[in-house]
Amino acid sequence: MRAHGLRSLVLVGLVGAIVAVTGTSCAGTDTAERGRGTVESVEKLVGYTASEVRTRLADGGFDTRSAMSGVDTFRIVYRTPGVDGTLTSASGLLALPRTDSPTLTFVSYGHGTTSVRSDVPSRSADVWSSGPAIAYASAGFAAAAPDYLGLGDGPGRHPWMDVPTETSASLDLLRASRTVVARQHRTVYRGVMVTGFSQGASAALGLARALDAHEDAHFRLRAVAPVSGAYALRAVEIPAMLSGQVDQRMAVIYAAYLLDSWNRVHGGIYTVPTEVFREPYAGRVDTYFAGDTPGDVMVRGLPGTLGELLTPRAMELLSRPTGTFARALDRADTVCAGWTSSAPVRLFSMSDDEQAVAANTDRCAALLRQRRAAVDRTPLPDRTVHGSRHLASNLAAIGPIVEWFRTIAR
């Protein structure tokens, strides 16, 4: 394991499952009034030649066959709603192709779980974080990758597994990125391609629903391709964690992150940490998710099983949810329900995923098909990265998604 913040988390497979109800964002006509998507700052980051792009992507295990052009990257800080609805700041990465095309198609990419503020697309030096955006940009797209609230240059704590704010942060980065693209004397098409991995898979569905609902005056949904999401926390993922289908080390991290984050976001789950976390872990969990604890430190500081981490009350709460927690879970499990996508959907997953079990994707596909959405359930070839099939699914999916998006764009 490499001890480099979330990179060490990623390398042991802690790229998480996001499950929360799709939120609403303000209509496009309200954007200017509310300041959403307003650019606060732009910083030019790294520029790559086409050869440098291929080398960088290959070093990270990414598919390089669609890497055709050089890429310029930018860090954007912009305005977006916080959990309480008041405007705050968030950051994200914009990657633009070095092509002569005056008009570009946006790809929005939602990244997987991180517990470290700097391990995000706009800040991390690790190709795992920025590689997907670079890959889409080198294929000719304008790629926008939000860091989400409380990560990157955004203030406060990250509200993990909160699709409403992931949705608004993603939509508002598109708005801010459109402004930055205009400053480059280019324009963007209305149609947006949407994708994301793990936590970002549900964030992608949230953005897709917002675009389909015309919550922006300009942008419309063109295609959506989530990868390895845990779309059914109560119905599928938590039972898999409790039964041992999810790797127990991963289950420990996810349970701790879930309870800590949702207690702050929703309230009423517990009053003091000792109600849900056993000692000596009760005094550690909150600090581990404050944004500055290296991943290897967290892994060493938490136990290897749920039974060692959680009190009997917490185990009962996961097994038989009640109160605030149950209501939040019930809302979360609707992320794929009650929506008929106007655009084609491809759900990517890998069999025997040790983190986001594939039954999540099966359930999401079934719910979408109930509404007669055009859904393709796309299995990925077997592969492991650092011993993880979950991580491998992200690398395996990007190439096929790039080609599918390019076909649609043509």
Side-chain angles (χ1 to χ4, degrees):
M1 185 191 310
R2 294 152 62 192
H4 299 290
L6 176 66
R7 194 181 335 173
S8 63
L9 281 181
V10 166
L11 294 184
V12 297
L14 302 180
V15 180
I18 170 81
V19 277
V21 65
T22 302
T24 59
S25 54
C26 301
T29 55
D30 295 331
T31 301
E33 294 177 11
R34 299 176 64 88
R36 290 187 51 182
T38 300
V39 176
E40 293 187 337
S41 66
V42 181
E43 181 181 353
K44 174 72 179 292
L45 298 175
V46 182
Y48 303 95
T49 65
S51 177
E52 289 169 337
V53 166
R54 286 188 285 270
T55 298
R56 180 166 174 78
L57 293 178
D59 286 346
F62 291 88
D63 191 329
T64 63
R65 287 174 292 181
S66 298
M68 305 299 294
S69 74
V71 172
D72 292 308
T73 59
F74 305 82
R75 180 187 302 116
I76 302 176
V77 180
Y78 59 99
R79 303 294 282 169
T80 195
V83 172
D84 63 358
T86 61
L87 286 183
T88 185
S89 298
S91 58
L93 181 71
L94 173 65
L96 298 178
R98 291 181 174 178
T99 64
D100 295 330
S101 176
T103 307
L104 302 170
T105 296
F106 265 131
V107 169
S108 176
Y109 173 81
H111 68 78
T113 292
T114 175
S115 65
V116 179
R117 178 178 295 277
S118 59
D119 283 339
V120 291
S122 80
R123 278 288 174 188
S124 178
D126 195 317
V127 69
W128 176 269
S129 296
S130 60
I134 292 172
Y136 289 114
S138 187
F141 297 98
D147 296 333
Y148 309 142
L149 292 183
L151 297 172
D153 288 21
R157 296 280 289 258
H158 172 50
W160 190 57
M161 302 175 52
D162 185 48
V163 168
T165 57
E166 291 166 355
T167 298
S168 53
S170 300
L171 180 56
D172 291 339
L173 178 60
L174 288 175
R175 292 163 167 162
S177 295
R178 184 184 177 200
T179 299
V180 175
V181 169
R183 294 177 184 175
Q184 305 294 314
H185 307 292
R186 302 166 95 169
T187 59
V188 292
Y189 291 111
R190 290 166 62 87
V192 178
M193 313 290 190
V194 180
T195 183
F197 165 65
S198 198
Q199 175 181 355
S202 286
L205 286 172
L207 175 61
R209 294 175 72 144
L211 293 173
D212 247 1
H214 296 183
E215 291 182 12
D216 182 83
H218 177 78
F219 295 117
R220 297 293 180 267
L221 181 65
R222 190 77 183 277
V224 57
V227 182
S228 301
Y231 312 107
L233 193 59
R234 182 173 186 172
V236 174
E237 188 68 11
I238 288 178
M241 290 165 59
L242 294 173
S243 69
Q245 287 180 269
V246 174
D247 179 273
Q248 279 297 285
R249 176 74 60 180
M250 307 303 107
V252 164
I253 301 295
Y254 293 153
Y257 212 170
L258 175 68
L259 292 171
D260 179 75
S261 176
W262 276 23
N263 195 53
R264 283 183 285 104
V265 172
H266 301 289
I269 296 175
Y270 59 87
T271 303
V272 293
T274 51
E275 293 176 14
V276 293
F277 302 118
R278 295 180 183 271
E279 294 288 10
Y281 312 110
R284 303 175 185 173
V285 168
D286 190 63
T287 61
Y288 286 162
F289 300 110
D292 56 2
T293 299
D296 61 326
V297 173
M298 179 192 297
V299 171
R300 290 196 304 267
L302 290 176
T305 66
L306 288 173
E308 294 173 280
L309 172 71
L310 300 177
T311 64
R313 176 176 181 262
M315 292 292 286
E316 178 70 14
L317 189 63
L318 291 180
S319 301
R320 298 175 181 84
T322 58
T324 298
F325 189 58
R327 289 190 293 273
L329 286 172
D330 288 341
R331 293 174 60 211
D333 277 13
T334 65
V335 69
C336 298
W339 169 55
T340 303
S341 174
S342 67
V345 180
R346 286 193 177 181
L347 299 173
F348 290 81
S349 68
M350 189 177 290
S351 63
D352 298 322
D353 188 317
E354 79 286 353
Q355 295 182 49
V357 295
N360 284 288
T361 302
D362 294 335
R363 185 177 185 274
C364 186
L367 288 171
L368 289 169
R369 286 169 181 154
Q370 285 179 5
R371 303 283 297 214
R372 299 186 179 181
V375 181
D376 179 24
R377 172 76 164 78
T378 306
L380 294 167
D382 290 348
R383 181 180 174 185
T384 60
V385 172
H386 301 290
S388 171
R389 297 169 71 84
H390 186 63
L391 295 178
S393 68
N394 189 32
L395 297 181
I398 289 177
I401 293 173
V402 166
E403 289 307 310
W404 186 49
F405 283 174
R406 290 176 70 176
T407 298
I408 292 173
R410 285 194 292 266

